[in-house]
């Protein structure tokens, strides 16, 4: 063999890993700061946020729905199983989430319902049209190739944007989209200032009836609103909205009880009011819905395709444009529904409401638009330029983090109850830095004892053990720092215990190899010929033993939660890295040692008794 090659590969692994540690994964600060691993809640404290369950009428949610919500939120915040967040239920309606470090950004979207709906756009106000006809960037475009992935760069307040779809090869269709800026927070122009009442207290949604709203509006304005069949155009006659001025005084909860047609047609119902409606306001798939999009209002049809029709959502890097997207794979029945919806949009004629709406939005158009709605927000409303089946994409201004967050929300399902964000606060460490130092001290003592025993029993071979442990430790530390920044791996006391246990696993592989080497020499082989022979036989046992440890760690990781998952992840990671060191350092360095005089010395090599008992006429392999 050529030991220099294996050692060169190991050196390359170290260079690449520490380049990632210092310059990738959002590395910031000085070089010393970039070497800091992400510590867990038990060691450095963190952020604690409270989410308050909100049920219509102020009713208390059931224990089953609260437990289901707790499980979904835990899966969202701990999607990779290594951040070790604490998610507990407090009282009848509170869920408290604790996460290590400053985690405000990670906690802010946990309580979102993640109800995705696909709705045909059947109406649009002039505000949307003016924005659509004057996009700030490129014009809508679609690839001529049936296998291409056209996309659009529209974005919404969620950070997501226009979806494109991979059409079926059989249909030859193409996904369409528009390029627009983020929705404006301003309201629809009204003749009088818009005033909205404060939202109800968390957990106590306001129960409002249509009769109460009608009384507040007044019989004249109510009757006028019921007669409307299209939005009132204030651009030509600003005074036309005076008859509906009282609608601007409705609270979001009161606006919510109005029909979607009334919400859409009445000009004094603003985007501020619509956006502040209670959670779940437009979740009913059997009802039309009105939302704000691009600074204006759009009316959407019923939702034939929903989030439950998606079998899998995953973040992906689009190879064509280098942008992050969320890929959606539909279930068998969901794929059929999606094809039917896109067929309806694609085959619509100029007399269909959706065609008129798309004309108002985009000017000169070819086909209708389908709105992709997440909770109360329209992520995008692209034109459909073919009958789409199979995999679709949500594309736009995603980062790796935001694409993963949306995919996790869709994968882990919608919350059975709606939540409102309560207070957030900083919490202190449950164990503290002293326990961290104690854990690191325990790891150092364990490594020291292994090294002492190795040098005492194996002498020169003990240096191989010591250097291997050092290299394993450096690889593990680099991986720990990099994974902490990229996938949220959090080092807790349980994880430190996993690394300490891995020292014993690493020591076992040394014993197997060296004892096999002694057996080969005892059978009459020279030390130089015994090294490759011992490696060939010990390698299988080492791989088997480490594979069993890795399998045990994987099973423990899958069936456990929290700190136990952290222990399993740490044990599995360190065992895999130990195998890397075994193949790229231990065997090559032993091959090099076998060609030295010290290795042939019974007193220095650690093979003293075996060499003395070996016959003088040894055989070469």
């Amino acid at each position: 063999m050529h030991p220099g090659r294996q050692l060169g590969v190991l050196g390359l692994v170290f260079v690449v890993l520490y380049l990632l540690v210092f310059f990738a994964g959002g590395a910031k600060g000085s070089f010393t700061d970039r070497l800091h691993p992400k510590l867990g809640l038990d060691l450095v404290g963190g952020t604690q946020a409270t989410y308050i369950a909100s049920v219509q009428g102020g009713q208390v949610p059931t224990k089953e729905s609260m437990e289901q919500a707790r499980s979904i939120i835990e899966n969202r915040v701990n999607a990779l199983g290594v951040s070790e967040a604490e998610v507990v239920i407090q009282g009848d309606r509170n869920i408290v989430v604790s996460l290590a470090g400053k985690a405000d950004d990670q906690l802010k979207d946990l309580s979102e319902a993640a109800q995705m709906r696909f709705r045909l756009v059947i109406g649009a106000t002039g505000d949307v049209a003016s924005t659509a006809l004057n996009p700030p960037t490129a014009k809508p475009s679609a690839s001529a190739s049936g296998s291409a992935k056209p996309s659009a760069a529209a974005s919404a307040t969620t950070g997501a944007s226009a979806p494109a779809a991979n059409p079926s090869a059989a249909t030859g269709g193409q996904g369409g989209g528009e390029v627009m800026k983020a929705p404006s927070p301003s309201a629809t122009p009204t003749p009088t200032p818009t005033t909205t009442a404060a939202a109800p207290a968390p957990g106590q949604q306001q129960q409002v009836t249509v009769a109460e709203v009608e009384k507040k509006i007044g019989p004249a304005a109510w009757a006028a609103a019921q007669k409307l069949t299209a939005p009132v155009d204030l651009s030509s006659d600003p005074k036309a909205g005076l008859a509906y001025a009282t609608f601007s005084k409705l609270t979001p909860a009161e606006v919510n009880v109005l029909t979607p047609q009334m919400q859409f047609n009445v000009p004094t119902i603003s985007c501020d009011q619509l956006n502040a409606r209670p959670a779940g306001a437009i979740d009913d798939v059997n009802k039309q819905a009105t939302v704000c999009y691009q600074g204006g209002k759009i009316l959407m049809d019923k939702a034939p395709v929903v989030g439950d029709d998606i079998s899998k959502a995953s973040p992906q890097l689009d190879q064509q444009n280098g942008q992050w997207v969320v890929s959606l794979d539909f279930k068998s029945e969901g794929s059929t529904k999606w094809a039917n919806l896109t067929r309806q949009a694609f085959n619509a004629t100029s007399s269909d409401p959706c065609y008129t709406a798309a004309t108002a939005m985009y000017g000169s158009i070819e086909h209708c638009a389908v709105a992709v709605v997440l909770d109360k927000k329209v992520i995008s409303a692209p034109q459909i330029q073919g009958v789409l089946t199979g995999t679709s994409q949500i594309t736009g201004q995603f980062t790796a983090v935001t694409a993963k967050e949306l995919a996790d929300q869709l994968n882990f399902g919608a919350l059975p109850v709606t939540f409102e964000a309560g207070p957030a606060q900083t919490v202190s460490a449950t164990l503290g830095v002293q326990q961290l130092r104690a854990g690191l001290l325990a790891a150092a003592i364990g490594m020291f004892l292994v090294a002492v025993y190795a040098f005492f029993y194996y002498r020169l071979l003990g240096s191989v053990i010591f250097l291997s442990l050092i290299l394993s430790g450096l690889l593990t530390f680099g991986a720990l720092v990099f994974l902490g920044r990229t996938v949220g791996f959090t080092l807790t006391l349980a994880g430190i215990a996993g690394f300490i246990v891995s020292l014993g696993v690493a020591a076992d592989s040394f014993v197997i190899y060296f004892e096999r080497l002694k057996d080969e020499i005892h059978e009459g082989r020279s030390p130089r010929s015994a090294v490759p022979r011992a490696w060939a036989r010990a390698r299988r046992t080492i791989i088997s033993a480490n594979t069993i440890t890795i399998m045990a760690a994987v099973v423990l990781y899958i069936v456990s939660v929290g700190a136990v998952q952290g222990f399993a992840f740490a044990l599995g990671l360190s065992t895999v890295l130990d195998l890397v060191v075994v193949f790229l350092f231990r065997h090559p360095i032993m091959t090099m040692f076998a060609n030295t005089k010290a290795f042939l010395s019974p007193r220095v090599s650690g093979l003293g008794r075996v060499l003395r008992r070996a016959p003088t006429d040894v055989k070469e392999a």
Side-chain angles (χ1 to χ4, degrees), residues 552-562 564-565 568:
V554 170
V555 172
L556 187 60
Y557 174 85
I558 293 174
V559 302
S560 61
V561 295
V564 180
Q565 276 190 327

Side-chain angles (χ1 to χ4, degrees), residues 25-26 79-80 159 314-318 322-326 396-408 485-487:
L80 291 176
S314 58
Q316 294 182 359
L317 191 62
D318 195 314
Q323 299 294 321
W324 281 97
V325 300
V326 177
Q397 306 300 322
F398 280 119
T399 65
V401 174
T402 56
K404 182 183 179 304
E405 286 176 352
L406 178 57
D408 288 342
R485 284 203 303 260
T486 55
V487 301

